[in-house]
Amino acid sequence: LCLLVAALAVAALAQQCEQPDTANAKCTCGGVTYDLSQMKNPDGTQRFSGPNGDYNYFFQMAGGGLPSSFPGCSFDAGSAAGNAAGQGTLDGLTCYAIGQVSQQSWTLQSNPQALSITFSGGAEGRVALVDVTCDPSTTGTFMAVGEKTTLVYEMDMTSCA
């Protein structure tokens, strides 16, 4: 009984959202539509990057995802298209796909200003977990947290949308 009560309490804290509009970075959760398509880096691009120890991390969930090749990252031929997230070596010679734009699911957290987005379908089973906090005073921030569990990569973002 205690386990059932605990499971129900956890379920009440997070709510699975509707099927996301992967082409436009939008999703409806709890009756509210969240639009992350306008999220931009200070340089005006939708591509965010950040170092974390031994790797650089790249993220772009709008416009079909990351390009197949760009400075600091060139994906393998078999995983070159549709990547929402990538992990690249600091020398830029190797870049791993860690989540596909087409394989995302959104969850609204107990705080209506917080979303969790999971991108699966990365190379060798890699998954990107992105925690998004909504803040109308920002144009967007990105911080790579790193590989907290084997093949699971965490990122924190702040968005105005």
Side-chain angles (χ1 to χ4, degrees), residues 4-160:
L4 177 61
V5 170
L8 291 174
V10 169
L13 295 177
Q15 175 184 356
Q16 190 66 32
C17 300
E18 294 176 13
Q19 184 68 27
D21 175 354
T22 59
N24 297 302
K26 297 179 184 180
C27 193
T28 301
C29 306
V32 175
T33 299
Y34 293 87
D35 180 356
L36 300 182
S37 66
Q38 300 304 310
M39 189 167 174
K40 301 237 186 275
N41 203 348
D43 69 3
T45 68
Q46 292 179 318
R47 183 170 57 244
F48 291 80
S49 62
N52 183 308
D54 297 332
Y55 295 95
N56 283 318
Y57 290 87
F58 306 96
F59 181 80
Q60 181 173 321
M61 66 185 290
L66 293 164
S68 60
S69 181
F70 53 92
C73 184
S74 186
F75 293 109
D76 290 337
S79 62
N83 295 304
Q87 177 198 44
T89 55
L90 294 178
D91 60 13
L93 297 177
T94 305
C95 200
Y96 303 100
I98 58 174
Q100 292 283 305
V101 170
S102 64
Q103 296 183 40
Q104 61 181 275
S105 63
W106 296 39
T107 305
L108 181 63
Q109 299 304 316
S110 59
N111 174 353
Q113 300 291 359
L115 297 166
S116 291
I117 308 173
T118 301
F119 296 89
S120 56
E124 300 171 3
R126 287 174 170 84
V127 175
L129 300 176
V130 181
D131 287 325
V132 182
T133 303
C134 299
D135 180 354
S137 68
T138 186
T139 56
T141 63
F142 173 90
M143 183 179 77
V145 177
E147 186 178 11
K148 293 298 188 176
T149 307
T150 303
L151 300 179
V152 177
Y153 303 86
E154 295 181 25
M155 300 167 209
D156 290 334
M157 301 185 81
T158 303
S159 173
C160 61

